[in-house]
Amino acid sequence: MSQSTSPLPREVAGRAVREHRPARSVNALGRSSGLALGTSLIWFSLLVLIPLAAVVVQATNGGWSGFWHTLTNPQTLAALKLTVGESLLVTALNVVMGTTIAWVLVRERFPGAAILDVVIDLPFALPTIVAGLVLLLLYGPRSPLGIDVANARPAVFLALAFVTLPFVVRTTQPVLEELDRDVEEAASSLGASALTTFRRVILPSLVPAVAAGAALSFARAISEYGSLVLLSGNRPFNTEVASVRIIGYIEGDNLAAASVIASVLLVVALVVIVVLDLIQRRVSRRG
C-alpha cells in the first residue's frame, strides 16, 4: 500500500518559521553591557514600574472593603463592561481588517497605494481630541454622510476603531515584506492549495506580529479618552467608559477609587496580553 503524503511537507513549513525565529544565545555581560542594562532597568523602573506600583498601592489605601465597594459600584461596573467589551470587539475587527490592509499594501500594486500607506498613520499623528472632533463632524448631528451616532454606543466602537486601526497594520506589514516567496512557491509546486500554503507557511510567521498588534490595539482601546469625549457624550450606564469614570473620581478628589479602576484595567490588559502570547505560541508550534 502506498502511503498518502501531505501536499506540504513539514520541513517546508518549518523552514519558513525558523527563518523568522532567530536563535538566542546567552552571553556573559561585559562592563559596558552591564552598565547599559543597569541604566535601562533604572529608567524603566522610574518610568513604568514605580508609577504602576504607586497606582496599585493607592488603590488599596481604603482597604479591601473600599476596593470592593468601588469595583461593585453599578456605574463603575457598567463603564468597565462597556470598555472591555467594546475593546475586545474592536481588537477582533483590527485583527481581520488590519491584516487584510497590510496584505493589500504589501502584495498588491494599485494606484494610490503610497497615499493609503501614509493615511494609515493618521490616527497616530492626530491628537485624540482632534480625532474626536473629526468623528463628530462626520458622524454627528450635522454629518454630511447622514450618519448620526453621537451620544450612542456605536460612537464608542467607532472612536476606538479609528484610533487603534494602525497597530495591527504596522506590526504585520514588515513581516509580510520579509517573508520568503520561494517557500510559498515551493509549497505550491508540491501541490499545496492556497489555503494550505497560508495556514502552514504564512500564518505561523504572521501570528506573532498579529498578536503583538492586537495586544497594542486592546491596550490602547481600554485607555482611550480624548476621541470619546466629544462623540460618545459620556452618558452614565450607556456610553461612559472607564477612562471617563476615572476622570470623574479624580475631579471628585477620590484618588483611591480612580486607582481601583486603573488597577483593574491594568490587570485586564496583562491578562489579554498573556492570552494572546499563548495563542500565538500555540499556533506557531502547530504551523
Side-chain angles (χ1 to χ4, degrees), residues 5-287:
T5 58
S6 172
L8 180 61
R10 283 190 172 274
E11 55 268 20
V12 176
R15 174 186 165 194
V17 177
R18 289 193 298 270
E19 286 179 351
H20 297 277
R21 194 179 292 170
R24 297 180 180 179
S25 59
V26 180
N27 299 320
L29 290 176
R31 180 176 299 179
S32 58
S33 299
L35 180 61
L37 177 61
T39 303
S40 301
L41 290 177
I42 291 173
W43 176 248
F44 181 73
S45 298
L46 291 174
L47 199 63
V48 178
L49 295 181
I50 294 176
L52 289 179
V55 169
V56 174
V57 170
Q58 182 67 42
T60 58
N61 273 353
W64 289 112
S65 60
F67 187 100
W68 186 249
H69 179 268
T70 300
L71 190 59
T72 55
N73 179 279
Q75 187 174 345
T76 299
L77 274 179
L80 286 171
K81 288 179 180 178
L82 175 64
T83 302
V84 175
E86 295 295 319
S87 297
L88 288 173
L89 289 176
V90 165
T91 300
L93 175 66
N94 285 335
V95 167
V96 177
M97 294 307 302
T99 305
T100 303
I101 293 172
W103 183 277
V104 169
L105 288 174
V106 173
R107 296 296 179 97
E108 306 295 335
R109 295 293 179 266
F110 57 92
I115 297 176
L116 177 60
D117 197 24
V118 172
V119 171
I120 291 295
D121 289 329
L122 273 181
F124 281 154
L126 285 177
T128 53
I129 191 66
V130 176
L133 178 59
V134 169
L135 293 173
L136 180 63
L137 293 175
L138 286 178
Y139 303 107
R142 300 180 182 180
S143 169
L145 305 176
I147 303 174
D148 182 9
V149 296
N151 304 328
R153 287 209 169 193
V156 177
F157 182 88
L158 184 62
L160 297 183
F162 179 84
V163 298
T164 59
L165 170 65
F167 286 103
V168 175
V169 178
R170 291 314 186 201
T171 56
T172 307
Q173 190 175 354
V175 178
L176 283 172
E177 290 174 345
E178 295 177 3
L179 282 179
D180 189 354
R181 296 285 190 93
D182 292 340
V183 180
E184 299 176 42
E185 293 174 0
S188 299
S189 67
L190 290 171
S193 64
L195 179 60
T196 302
T197 301
F198 179 81
R199 181 174 62 87
R200 298 287 297 278
V201 176
I202 299 174
L203 189 60
S205 297
L206 209 56
V207 165
V210 174
L216 292 172
S217 176
F218 181 82
R220 171 68 183 272
I222 63 172
S223 62
E224 181 56 25
Y225 174 76
S227 63
L228 294 166
V229 172
L230 299 178
L231 188 65
S232 69
N234 308 319
R235 297 165 57 194
F237 301 101
N238 193 341
T239 62
E240 184 185 46
V241 295
S243 57
V244 175
R245 187 68 174 148
I246 290 175
I247 293 296
Y249 276 128
I250 291 175
E251 290 176 346
D253 198 26
N254 193 346
L255 293 179
S259 299
V260 168
I261 302 178
S263 300
V264 171
L265 292 179
L266 174 62
V267 171
V268 170
L270 288 175
V271 169
V272 170
I273 289 172
V274 170
V275 169
L276 287 172
D277 182 69
L278 292 176
I279 291 174
Q280 68 93 359
R281 288 174 185 270
R282 188 171 183 177
V283 173
S284 297
R285 285 199 302 267
R286 286 189 173 184

